[in-house]
Amino acid sequence: MSAVTLVLTQELADQLSAGAAQHSESAAVLIAGVAREGQRLRLLGRELHWVQDRDYAQRTFTGMTIVSGGYVPALRRAEELGAMAVWVHTHPGGDPTPSRRDAGVDAALAPLFMVRTGQNLYASVVVSPAAAGEAGTIRFSGTVLDGAGEPWRIERLWIVGPRFRAVTAADAAEPPVDEVFDRQVRALGPALQAQLARLRIGLVGAGGTGSAVGEQLARLGVGQLLVVDPDHLSASNLTRVHGAGIGDVGRPKAEIVAGHAVAIGLGTEVEPVVGSVVQEGVAARLRGCDLVFGCTDDHAGRMVLSRLSSYYLLPVIDCGVLISSDAGVLAGIDARISVLSPGYSCLLCRDRVNPQRAALEQMEPDERRSRAAEGYAPELPGVEPAVVAYTTLVAALAVNEMLERLVGYGVTPPPSEILARIHDRELSTHNRPSRPGHYCADGAAVRGCGDRTPLLETTWASP
């Protein structure tokens, strides 16, 4: 694997921080889902089971001995969930570098953990309290082993919830911040710039809003960008797609936006995907991202992004704008920016997507016309108005939500949704709870479960 990331909810990260602050070494088993995308591996934290006091045979500031009963119940729980088990222990002294003894423990535990959980992966993580004045509350190092004993270093800890935070492994070097970002660093600080450089962000939709988001992410210095869009540029798109010119008509919008982001020249690695997120293979590509911007108008695509967020602990910032106009007379400009992250409700619970319309969007045109004639499928809306000033404004509000959650300069806790009545120059915020028992609810069985067959446990159309 070329990149391994450990993803934790804020709740689990707080539990690790509390354990690292204990005077004596502590141990736990982290039950984690697995997400594989190409050469990227993400371990998705689901439950943390600390070893109970009665199961320590010996415990000091510099070492501990644990009876097997201290961790076997957690392995049984991991097997029940179809998840892997990560061995976690603390170094209270502040240095998370594994010792020789730690290496011996890993060699003994790895085969046992794999057999007991039925998984071919084992991981171990050492956690220490952060030094005074150091960003974050913990320091860590971690290793993943496969069934063949091949080791990979866990490079990053990605913490998600109402706010987002990336923590680089203690044994990984921080890249220098280019002076080209000086004015940005003066506003947001060097730590934020370093975090941006490590992020891999998915952009679903490369139209008016998506292209404006893509340009801003590239100029901010985001490290990697995956641009997804199935459509080709039409002449009517020229008025609002950033980076597009008259010579681009007929080209895939994903390629136009990707090329423009690269041409800016600030080092962002950009990969275009000409396809729809409602295709299983395309949706699967997003599993390797830290965060996704949803800039698609279709309800079917939003349904996929909503499930991805829960299954993969993947924050999604979904946005859209609706211009109400009658025969060229403007009546209203309404926009929405919704943040999906652990602890927040999904788009279904917020009534922001319509399952019936999503199903209609995925029908073949002939089938849709046939069902409409029978009265079972109302027609989809036609071409809607769009103006670059408003799509760009919404994009800026969406990117601001990402920055605020990385930096934390706004209200606490931050709202999960912003509604903008642009024509009235009015903003309002909302926090709508999940429906009991829904997949996005607290304690839901799928949160952070990762890869399952079929992807997202949903039905996909044939390629």
Side-chain angles (χ1 to χ4, degrees):
M1 293 290 171
S2 62
V4 182
T5 300
L6 174 61
V7 186
L8 296 178
T9 63
Q10 185 62 59
E11 179 183 4
L12 290 179
D14 289 343
Q15 291 179 32
L16 278 183
S17 179
Q22 297 292 315
H23 184 266
S24 298
E25 285 198 8
S26 302
V29 174
L30 174 68
I31 297 175
V34 176
R36 292 182 175 90
E37 193 277 313
Q39 291 299 304
R40 299 177 184 86
L41 175 67
R42 298 172 75 82
L43 310 182
L44 314 171
R46 304 192 66 186
E47 298 177 2
L48 188 62
H49 296 258
W50 289 100
V51 173
Q52 299 300 302
D53 290 343
R54 65 177 180 272
D55 294 317
Y56 289 98
Q58 176 261 341
R59 188 183 185 194
T60 68
F61 181 76
T62 58
M64 60 185 171
T65 304
I66 301 168
V67 300
S68 61
Y71 51 78
V72 168
L75 301 185
R76 188 180 306 117
R77 174 63 174 162
E79 183 182 24
E80 291 173 357
L81 293 175
M84 69 172 293
V86 181
W87 178 243
V88 179
H89 73 280
T90 67
H91 282 183
D95 182 3
T97 304
S99 65
R100 289 185 179 179
R101 184 181 181 188
D102 293 335
V105 170
D106 285 341
L109 291 182
L112 172 64
F113 273 42
M114 291 183 195
V115 169
R116 287 297 187 105
T117 61
Q119 303 291 319
N120 68 343
L121 290 175
Y122 166 81
S124 64
V125 173
V126 183
V127 180
S128 295
E134 187 176 10
T137 56
I138 57 174
R139 305 179 72 223
F140 86 98
S141 68
T143 303
V144 178
L145 298 174
D146 65 9
E150 185 71 25
W152 305 301
R153 184 177 66 184
I154 300 176
E155 298 178 347
R156 290 187 313 143
L157 173 61
W158 178 234
I159 301 171
V160 294
R163 302 201 186 279
F164 316 141
R165 182 159 58 91
V167 180
T168 304
D171 55 353
E174 287 280 9
V177 176
D178 195 306
E179 64 180 10
V180 73
F181 297 110
D182 174 69
R183 299 282 290 272
Q184 197 164 284
V185 168
R186 289 172 186 266
L188 303 173
L192 181 279
Q193 196 60 53
Q195 287 200 58
L196 290 172
R198 293 192 295 267
L199 290 182
R200 178 175 175 82
I201 294 181
L203 176 58
V204 178
T209 307
S211 64
V213 168
E215 172 148 351
Q216 291 178 57
L217 294 178
R219 294 190 186 279
L220 282 169
V222 164
Q224 298 179 16
L225 188 59
L226 185 74
V227 184
V228 176
D229 195 295
D231 296 329
H232 292 66
L233 190 79
S234 67
S236 66
N237 297 147
L238 282 172
T239 60
R240 64 190 183 281
V241 174
H242 290 247
I246 190 68
D248 292 313
V249 172
R251 289 184 60 208
K253 288 195 287 187
E255 294 181 0
I256 295 169
V257 171
H260 180 58
V262 171
I264 289 171
L266 295 179
T268 301
E269 299 176 14
V270 191
E271 184 178 356
V273 177
V274 181
S276 171
V277 73
V278 300
Q279 298 168 323
E280 184 176 9
V282 174
R285 298 291 303 277
L286 296 171
R287 295 176 298 179
C289 294
D290 298 307
L291 182 146
V292 171
F293 282 89
C295 303
T296 177
D297 291 332
D298 66 292
H299 286 228
R302 287 188 168 119
M303 292 271 284
V304 171
L305 294 180
S306 197
R307 292 182 76 86
L308 272 168
S309 179
S310 288
Y311 276 63
Y312 288 94
L313 301 183
L314 177 59
V316 172
I317 300 177
D318 183 71
C319 52
V321 57
L322 176 65
I323 298 175
S324 303
S325 178
D326 185 9
V329 178
L330 193 62
I333 312 161
D334 297 278
R336 172 183 57 79
I337 297 91
S338 303
V339 180
L340 313 181
S341 191
Y344 288 155
S345 58
C346 69
L347 294 176
L348 275 168
C349 290
R350 301 183 204 187
D351 296 319
R352 298 307 181 196
V353 289
N354 184 316
Q356 288 73 34
R357 177 171 165 178
L360 182 62
E361 289 169 347
Q362 293 185 283
M363 290 181 185
E364 294 295 332
D366 288 344
E367 181 185 2
R368 188 163 62 239
R369 282 191 290 269
S370 174
R371 292 180 66 92
E374 297 170 359
Y376 294 113
E379 284 301 312
L380 293 173
V383 177
E384 297 179 348
V387 178
V388 66
Y390 310 136
T391 54
T392 303
L393 172 59
V394 173
L397 288 171
V399 174
N400 173 68
E401 282 303 299
M402 177 194 75
L403 292 174
E404 197 280 334
R405 287 158 200 280
L406 288 167
V407 178
Y409 49 74
V411 297
T412 300
S416 65
E417 192 166 75
I418 295 176
L419 301 181
R421 292 172 54 85
I422 298 170
H423 54 290
D424 287 335
R425 299 170 180 83
E426 176 182 286
L427 294 179
S428 61
T429 60
H430 290 264
N431 272 310
R432 187 172 297 180
S434 301
R435 295 169 185 165
H438 201 245
Y439 67 75
C440 64
D442 287 340
V446 302
R447 179 181 289 182
C449 67
D451 294 341
R452 290 188 176 181
T453 303
L455 182 70
L456 303 180
E457 299 180 306
T458 191
T459 302
W460 298 89
S462 301

Coordinates of all heavy atoms in Angstrom, one line a residue, residues 68-112:
S68 N -4.7 -12.8 28.5 CA -5.4 -12.9 27.2 C -6.9 -12.5 27.3 O -7.4 -12.0 26.4 CB -5.2 -14.3 26.7 OG -5.8 -15.2 27.5
G69 N -7.5 -12.7 28.5 CA -8.9 -12.4 28.6 C -9.1 -10.9 28.5 O -10.3 -10.4 28.3
G70 N -8.1 -10.1 28.5 CA -8.2 -8.6 28.4 C -8.6 -8.2 27.0 O -9.2 -7.1 26.9
Y71 N -8.3 -9.0 26.0 CA -8.6 -8.5 24.7 C -9.4 -9.5 23.8 O -10.0 -9.1 22.8 CB -7.3 -8.2 23.9 CG -6.3 -9.3 23.9 CD1 -6.4 -10.4 23.1 CD2 -5.2 -9.2 24.8 CE1 -5.4 -11.4 23.1 CE2 -4.2 -10.1 24.8 CZ -4.3 -11.3 24.0 OH -3.4 -12.2 24.0
V72 N -9.6 -10.7 24.3 CA -10.3 -11.7 23.5 C -11.8 -11.3 23.3 O -12.3 -11.5 22.2 CB -10.2 -13.1 24.2 CG1 -11.2 -14.1 23.5 CG2 -8.8 -13.7 24.0
P73 N -12.5 -10.8 24.3 CA -13.9 -10.3 24.0 C -14.0 -9.3 22.9 O -14.9 -9.3 22.1 CB -14.3 -9.8 25.3 CG -13.5 -10.4 26.3 CD -12.2 -10.6 25.7
A74 N -13.0 -8.4 22.8 CA -13.0 -7.4 21.7 C -12.8 -8.1 20.3 O -13.4 -7.6 19.3 CB -12.0 -6.3 22.0
L75 N -12.0 -9.1 20.3 CA -11.8 -9.8 19.0 C -13.1 -10.5 18.6 O -13.4 -10.6 17.4 CB -10.7 -10.9 19.2 CG -9.3 -10.3 19.6 CD1 -8.2 -11.4 19.6 CD2 -8.8 -9.2 18.7
R76 N -13.8 -11.1 19.6 CA -15.1 -11.7 19.3 C -16.1 -10.7 18.7 O -16.8 -10.9 17.8 CB -15.6 -12.3 20.5 CG -16.9 -13.2 20.3 CD -17.4 -13.8 21.6 NE -16.3 -14.5 22.3 CZ -15.9 -14.2 23.5 NH1 -16.4 -13.1 24.1 NH2 -14.9 -14.9 24.1
R77 N -16.0 -9.5 19.3 CA -16.9 -8.4 18.8 C -16.5 -8.0 17.4 O -17.4 -7.8 16.5 CB -16.8 -7.2 19.7 CG -17.6 -6.0 19.3 CD -19.1 -6.2 19.2 NE -19.8 -4.9 18.9 CZ -21.0 -4.9 18.4 NH1 -21.7 -6.0 18.2 NH2 -21.5 -3.7 18.2
A78 N -15.3 -7.9 17.1 CA -14.8 -7.6 15.7 C -15.3 -8.6 14.7 O -15.7 -8.3 13.6 CB -13.3 -7.4 15.7
E79 N -15.2 -9.9 15.1 CA -15.7 -10.9 14.2 C -17.2 -10.8 13.9 O -17.6 -11.0 12.8 CB -15.4 -12.3 14.8 CG -15.8 -13.5 13.9 CD -15.5 -14.8 14.6 OE1 -15.4 -14.9 15.8 OE2 -15.3 -15.8 13.8
E80 N -17.9 -10.5 15.0 CA -19.4 -10.3 14.8 C -19.7 -9.2 13.8 O -20.6 -9.3 13.0 CB -20.0 -9.9 16.1 CG -20.0 -11.1 17.2 CD -20.6 -10.6 18.5 OE1 -20.8 -9.4 18.6 OE2 -20.7 -11.4 19.4
L81 N -18.9 -8.1 13.8 CA -19.1 -7.0 13.0 C -18.4 -7.1 11.6 O -18.6 -6.3 10.7 CB -18.5 -5.7 13.6 CG -19.2 -5.2 14.9 CD1 -18.5 -4.0 15.5 CD2 -20.7 -4.9 14.6
G82 N -17.7 -8.2 11.4 CA -17.0 -8.4 10.1 C -15.9 -7.4 9.9 O -15.6 -6.9 8.8
A83 N -15.2 -7.0 11.1 CA -14.2 -5.9 11.1 C -12.9 -6.5 11.5 O -12.8 -7.6 12.0 CB -14.7 -4.8 12.0
M84 N -11.8 -5.6 11.3 CA -10.5 -6.0 11.8 C -10.3 -5.4 13.2 O -11.1 -4.6 13.7 CB -9.4 -5.5 10.9 CG -9.3 -4.0 10.8 SD -7.8 -3.4 9.9 CE -6.5 -4.0 10.9
A85 N -9.2 -5.9 13.9 CA -8.9 -5.4 15.2 C -7.5 -4.8 15.2 O -6.6 -5.3 14.6 CB -9.0 -6.6 16.2
V86 N -7.4 -3.6 15.8 CA -6.2 -2.8 15.9 C -5.8 -2.8 17.4 O -6.5 -2.4 18.2 CB -6.4 -1.4 15.4 CG1 -5.1 -0.6 15.5 CG2 -7.0 -1.4 14.0
W87 N -4.5 -3.3 17.6 CA -4.0 -3.3 19.0 C -3.5 -1.8 19.2 O -2.6 -1.3 18.5 CB -2.9 -4.3 19.1 CG -2.2 -4.3 20.4 CD1 -0.9 -4.0 20.7 CD2 -2.8 -4.7 21.7 NE1 -0.7 -4.2 22.1 CE2 -1.8 -4.6 22.7 CE3 -4.1 -5.1 22.0 CZ2 -2.1 -4.9 24.0 CZ3 -4.4 -5.4 23.4 CH2 -3.3 -5.3 24.3
V88 N -4.0 -1.2 20.3 CA -3.6 0.1 20.7 C -3.0 0.1 22.1 O -3.6 -0.5 23.0 CB -4.9 1.1 20.7 CG1 -4.5 2.5 21.1 CG2 -5.5 1.1 19.3
H89 N -1.9 0.8 22.3 CA -1.4 1.0 23.6 C -0.7 2.4 23.7 O -0.4 3.0 22.7 CB -0.5 -0.1 24.1 CG 0.9 -0.1 23.5 ND1 1.1 -0.6 22.3 CD2 2.0 0.3 24.0 CE1 2.4 -0.5 22.0 NE2 3.0 0.0 23.1
T90 N -0.6 2.8 24.9 CA -0.1 4.2 25.2 C 1.3 4.2 25.7 O 1.8 3.2 26.3 CB -1.0 4.9 26.2 OG1 -0.8 4.3 27.5 CG2 -2.4 4.9 25.8
H91 N 2.0 5.3 25.4 CA 3.3 5.6 26.0 C 3.2 6.9 26.7 O 3.3 8.0 26.0 CB 4.4 5.7 24.9 CG 4.9 4.4 24.4 ND1 6.0 4.3 23.4 CD2 4.6 3.1 24.6 CE1 6.2 3.0 23.1 NE2 5.4 2.3 23.9
P92 N 2.9 6.9 28.0 CA 2.6 8.2 28.7 C 3.8 9.2 28.6 O 3.6 10.4 28.8 CB 2.4 7.7 30.1 CG 2.0 6.2 30.0 CD 2.8 5.7 28.8
G93 N 5.0 8.7 28.4 CA 6.2 9.6 28.4 C 6.2 10.6 27.3 O 7.0 11.5 27.3
G94 N 5.3 10.4 26.2 CA 5.3 11.4 25.1 C 5.9 11.0 23.9 O 5.8 11.7 22.8
D95 N 6.6 9.8 23.9 CA 7.3 9.3 22.6 C 6.5 8.1 22.2 O 6.6 7.0 22.8 CB 8.7 9.0 22.9 CG 9.5 8.5 21.7 OD1 8.9 8.5 20.6 OD2 10.7 8.1 21.8
P96 N 5.8 8.2 21.0 CA 5.1 7.0 20.5 C 5.9 6.0 19.7 O 5.3 5.1 19.1 CB 4.0 7.7 19.7 CG 4.6 8.9 19.1 CD 5.6 9.4 20.2
T97 N 7.2 6.2 19.7 CA 8.0 5.2 18.9 C 7.9 3.8 19.5 O 8.1 3.7 20.7 CB 9.5 5.7 18.9 OG1 9.6 7.0 18.4 CG2 10.3 4.7 18.1
P98 N 7.6 2.8 18.7 CA 7.5 1.4 19.3 C 8.9 1.0 19.8 O 9.9 1.2 19.2 CB 7.1 0.6 18.1 CG 6.5 1.6 17.1 CD 7.3 2.9 17.3
S99 N 8.8 0.2 20.9 CA 10.1 -0.3 21.5 C 10.3 -1.7 20.9 O 9.4 -2.3 20.2 CB 9.9 -0.4 23.0 OG 8.9 -1.4 23.3
R100 N 11.4 -2.3 21.2 CA 11.7 -3.7 20.8 C 10.6 -4.7 21.4 O 10.2 -5.6 20.7 CB 13.1 -4.1 21.3 CG 14.2 -3.5 20.5 CD 15.6 -4.0 20.9 NE 16.7 -3.4 20.2 CZ 17.9 -3.7 20.4 NH1 18.2 -4.7 21.3 NH2 18.9 -3.1 19.7
R101 N 10.3 -4.4 22.6 CA 9.2 -5.2 23.2 C 7.9 -5.1 22.5 O 7.2 -6.1 22.3 CB 9.1 -4.8 24.7 CG 8.1 -5.7 25.4 CD 7.9 -5.3 26.9 NE 7.0 -6.2 27.6 CZ 6.5 -6.0 28.8 NH1 6.9 -4.9 29.4 NH2 5.7 -6.9 29.3
D102 N 7.6 -3.9 22.1 CA 6.4 -3.7 21.3 C 6.4 -4.5 20.0 O 5.4 -5.1 19.6 CB 6.2 -2.2 20.9 CG 5.9 -1.3 22.2 OD1 5.4 -1.9 23.1 OD2 6.2 -0.1 22.1
A103 N 7.5 -4.6 19.4 CA 7.7 -5.4 18.1 C 7.4 -6.8 18.4 O 6.8 -7.5 17.6 CB 9.0 -5.1 17.5
G104 N 7.9 -7.3 19.5 CA 7.7 -8.7 19.9 C 6.2 -9.0 20.2 O 5.7 -10.0 19.8
V105 N 5.5 -8.0 20.8 CA 4.1 -8.2 21.1 C 3.3 -8.2 19.8 O 2.4 -9.1 19.6 CB 3.6 -7.0 22.0 CG1 2.1 -7.0 22.1 CG2 4.2 -7.1 23.4
D106 N 3.7 -7.4 18.8 CA 3.0 -7.4 17.5 C 3.2 -8.7 16.8 O 2.3 -9.3 16.2 CB 3.6 -6.3 16.6 CG 3.0 -4.9 17.1 OD1 2.0 -4.9 17.8 OD2 3.7 -3.9 16.7
A107 N 4.4 -9.3 16.9 CA 4.7 -10.6 16.2 C 3.8 -11.7 16.8 O 3.4 -12.6 16.1 CB 6.2 -10.9 16.4
A108 N 3.6 -11.6 18.1 CA 2.7 -12.6 18.8 C 1.3 -12.4 18.6 O 0.5 -13.3 18.4 CB 3.0 -12.6 20.3
L109 N 0.8 -11.1 18.5 CA -0.6 -10.8 18.4 C -1.1 -10.9 17.0 O -2.3 -11.3 16.8 CB -0.9 -9.5 19.0 CG -0.8 -9.3 20.5 CD1 -1.2 -7.8 20.9 CD2 -1.6 -10.3 21.3
A110 N -0.3 -10.6 16.0 CA -0.8 -10.5 14.6 C -1.5 -11.7 14.2 O -2.7 -11.7 13.7 CB 0.4 -10.1 13.7
P111 N -0.9 -12.9 14.3 CA -1.6 -14.1 13.8 C -2.9 -14.4 14.6 O -3.9 -14.8 14.0 CB -0.6 -15.2 13.9 CG 0.4 -14.7 14.9 CD 0.5 -13.3 14.7
L112 N -2.8 -14.2 15.9 CA -4.0 -14.4 16.8 C -5.1 -13.5 16.4 O -6.3 -13.9 16.2 CB -3.6 -14.2 18.2 CG -4.8 -14.2 19.2 CD1 -5.4 -15.6 19.2 CD2 -4.3 -13.8 20.6

